[in-house]
Amino acid sequence: MDCFNLLCDELVLEILHRLPAAGAGTVSLVCKRWLHLHRCSKTVLSLRLPPAATPPSLSAILSRYPSLASLSLVPDSASSPDPDALLSAAAAAVAVVATHGLRRFRFLAGPVSPGSLSLFGNSCRNLCSLSVASLRRLSFRFLVEFPFLKEFSVLDLKAAHVVMIAGEGEGEEEEFPAAELPIETLSLSGIGSGELGFGWLWRSCVNLRKLQLRSCEGTGDSFRFFPGAIRGLRELELRTCRTIADRVLLLVAGHALSLSSLLLYDGGSREGLLWFLSRASPNLRKIDLRLPLDLEDEHLSAIAANFPQISTFKLQSCCLVSGLGLKSLGPAMGAALQHLALINCDAVEREPGLLTSLGQNLRRLRKLDLSYNEMLHDKELSAMLASCNSLVEIRLRGCGGLTDSLMDSIVRSCRRLEIADLTHCRGIGFSGIESFLLNSPRLSRIVVEESKLSDAAKTWASRKIIRVG
């Protein structure tokens, strides 16, 4: 400790920053000087707020972290203090102490009013990312106070406290001119059917590149202004939006000509999805689908015919597709596909030879995820891996039918492998994991239960700087 007292704060900080991640949390316990330096250098902070939290106490805490760039405030229980008061306290504290200005802010301590968010924007002008739990009324015009905001999300618009004030909503679009918001990523959850108050937002999001909708029954304006917001869209995510999925896909196919990524979970119809896949932009590169009752072989045929440049293709819990449908993807996507995920896929388990056939066509594959295929066995997967020599990542979480014998096949076929997830593979034990760690030349991370790591395996992982977990 005496030698550290001779060093200036900058040198001590440089030394502390070079400590392993496992020991970083104990730095603040050494002495008051180290505690002060640790706080002064911390750029990311997440606080759980107890029910008794007050604005003065929050201000006192934040005043100790002058370098904050990212802040999350999360309630510790259902009963939380006044969210608007806490937001005002956070804005005042951060505006005073943050040296370079807060860039990311996540406020989940309760519903906040648009007025409070406007004041927060005046105090934190450099904010690039804002996430709030909910709003006390449906008005988004406070967003003009954030001139550099690129990401905005509201986690729950269905909450009971969201109300519409008389006179707002239906005439809002004509009364207030649109603003050219810098927002590129927009995430909204729980928009109700026929909800008013979104027209101004859609008209103002002229730079939108990524849209995420969760549990929505509408878009808030009967789709009147929605097409204008999606013209430059590149990524679309629809999660449990069955009521509006078909209509959104129709508009996206007609207006979002640069769309490159689609995620569709638990929503839509067979006919609507097929229409989209037959007419969507040929620029589509990533498709992620979890549609247990809506996805069939004809959809896979449309994907194979219209999107030969797909680089990422993911299916999860799609029980109606067959091995024949999946095999048709191999020849069509073989030149471009680099990431394949067939998670909890019945066809993988019930149709022998499927993975072998895919492997022979997908020789450029770099990432493979076959998680939760309980009946997948060593022989089938080994035959596929023999052809997939470029894999750098493999995920087999929950594949209980695999055994230690597979580890030798992975080592032999996948010499470039860097990441492996073998969690909940009950047939793979001590010896398999140990052999895998010892013989994988490029492995940098393994995800597996600690109980399956022998002392020799832990020692070898430490020597080779392999991250565990």
Side-chain angles (χ1 to χ4, degrees):
M1 286 298 299
D2 291 339
C3 65
F4 275 94
N5 291 331
L6 300 176
L7 300 177
C8 65
D9 288 350
E10 289 78 8
L11 286 176
V12 175
L13 271 175
E14 185 65 27
I15 294 171
L16 298 182
H17 286 159
R18 294 176 181 271
L19 291 175
T26 59
V27 164
S28 60
L29 303 177
V30 176
C31 63
K32 289 184 178 180
R33 184 190 181 200
W34 285 28
L35 173 61
H36 173 71
L37 291 176
H38 175 68
R39 287 172 172 171
C40 287
S41 64
K42 197 171 183 64
T43 58
V44 179
L45 181 65
S46 181
L47 296 177
R48 283 195 169 274
L49 302 175
T54 61
S57 64
L58 179 61
S59 297
I61 293 173
L62 295 179
S63 65
R64 300 169 183 168
Y65 299 90
S67 300
L68 280 184
S70 178
L71 174 63
S72 295
L73 300 179
V74 183
D76 197 31
S77 63
S79 58
S80 61
D82 179 27
D84 284 340
L86 287 176
L87 184 63
S88 298
V94 171
V96 172
V97 303
T99 307
H100 304 291
L102 196 67
R103 308 287 289 176
R104 303 179 65 85
F105 184 53
R106 188 166 173 257
F107 188 77
L108 306 184
V112 289
S113 66
S116 294
L117 287 167
S118 293
L119 295 175
F120 187 85
N122 289 326
S123 301
C124 304
R125 302 289 288 175
N126 294 323
L127 208 66
C128 295
S129 177
L130 174 64
S131 179
V132 297
S134 191
L135 300 173
R136 284 189 168 168
R137 63 184 176 91
L138 287 177
S139 176
F140 296 93
R141 293 191 300 279
F142 64 85
L143 291 171
V144 298
E145 305 297 338
F146 297 91
F148 303 106
L149 195 68
K150 299 292 185 182
E151 302 176 4
F152 175 61
S153 65
V154 185
L155 273 62
D156 184 12
L157 286 164
K158 284 185 177 178
H161 46 261
V162 176
V163 297
M164 185 57 91
I165 292 181
E168 285 196 353
E170 190 168 1
E172 181 184 25
E173 292 79 18
E174 290 73 24
E175 183 179 352
F176 296 97
E180 189 172 332
L181 297 176
I183 295 174
E184 296 181 357
T185 299
L186 179 63
S187 178
L188 301 173
S189 177
I191 302 176
S193 177
E195 202 87 70
L196 300 175
F198 290 86
W200 181 88
L201 179 64
W202 296 131
R203 289 193 298 123
S204 300
C205 286
V206 294
N207 298 296
L208 204 59
R209 298 295 178 265
K210 181 176 181 178
L211 176 62
Q212 299 172 312
L213 298 178
R214 293 179 173 85
S215 302
C216 293
E217 298 176 357
T219 58
D221 66 330
S222 300
F223 294 98
R224 185 155 55 119
F225 300 105
F226 186 73
I230 61 173
R231 293 189 186 280
L233 202 65
R234 295 174 185 168
E235 299 180 51
L236 174 65
E237 295 187 8
L238 298 176
R239 300 175 187 263
T240 58
C241 296
R242 180 168 290 273
T243 306
I244 62 169
D246 285 356
R247 183 59 187 258
V248 170
L249 290 176
L250 184 150
L251 292 173
V252 167
H255 295 85
L257 303 182
S258 300
L259 190 73
S260 62
S261 176
L262 171 69
L263 182 150
L264 183 59
Y265 280 9
D266 301 328
S269 67
R270 300 176 189 179
E271 297 76 15
L273 179 59
L274 185 60
W275 191 95
F276 172 82
L277 294 174
S278 301
R279 294 167 176 80
S281 166
N283 296 313
L284 206 59
R285 296 291 184 271
K286 299 180 181 179
I287 297 181
D288 187 344
L289 304 174
R290 187 177 68 193
L291 302 166
L293 301 178
D294 297 326
L295 192 73
E296 297 179 338
D297 285 351
E298 60 180 341
H299 298 100
L300 299 184
S301 298
I303 292 172
N306 299 314
F307 309 108
Q309 299 303 313
I310 289 287
S311 61
T312 298
F313 185 66
K314 300 181 181 180
L315 295 184
Q316 182 173 343
S317 303
C318 296
C319 57
L320 297 182
V321 299
S322 70
L324 186 62
L326 289 170
K327 286 179 182 179
S328 68
L329 298 175
M333 298 181 177
L337 195 67
Q338 296 189 25
H339 186 180
L340 174 66
L342 301 174
I343 302 170
N344 188 28
C345 186
D346 288 358
V348 171
E349 299 181 349
R350 68 174 178 248
E351 302 197 28
L354 168 60
L355 294 183
T356 305
S357 176
L358 286 175
Q360 291 172 351
N361 288 287
L362 304 178
R363 296 179 181 272
R364 298 185 61 186
L365 206 62
R366 292 176 56 81
K367 298 181 180 181
L368 177 64
D369 190 344
L370 297 173
S371 298
Y372 301 107
N373 289 297
E374 180 71 20
M375 302 307 295
L376 179 62
H377 55 80
D378 297 347
K379 183 178 179 181
E380 179 78 5
L381 182 53
S382 296
M384 180 184 192
L385 297 180
S387 302
C388 298
N389 306 125
S390 300
L391 282 183
V392 296
E393 180 178 324
I394 188 168
R395 298 188 178 274
L396 303 171
R397 178 183 293 256
C399 294
L402 302 178
T403 71
D404 288 342
S405 299
L406 177 69
M407 297 295 97
D408 293 333
S409 297
I410 295 179
V411 170
R412 185 169 55 253
S413 301
C414 307
R415 305 300 291 174
R416 302 179 185 179
L417 198 66
E418 299 175 7
I419 301 173
D421 185 348
L422 305 172
T423 313
H424 306 308
C425 296
R426 60 177 180 272
I428 300 176
F430 280 105
S431 59
I433 298 299
E434 186 174 310
S435 173
F436 182 58
L437 286 170
L438 289 172
N439 297 299
S440 297
R442 296 192 183 182
L443 194 66
S444 61
R445 183 186 180 193
I446 183 172
V447 185
V448 69
E449 296 89 343
E450 189 174 354
S451 59
K452 291 186 178 181
L453 292 171
S454 64
D455 291 339
K458 292 178 182 178
T459 301
W460 192 249
S462 178
R463 287 179 181 175
K464 295 180 67 176
I465 318 179
I466 298 174
R467 180 184 169 192
V468 179

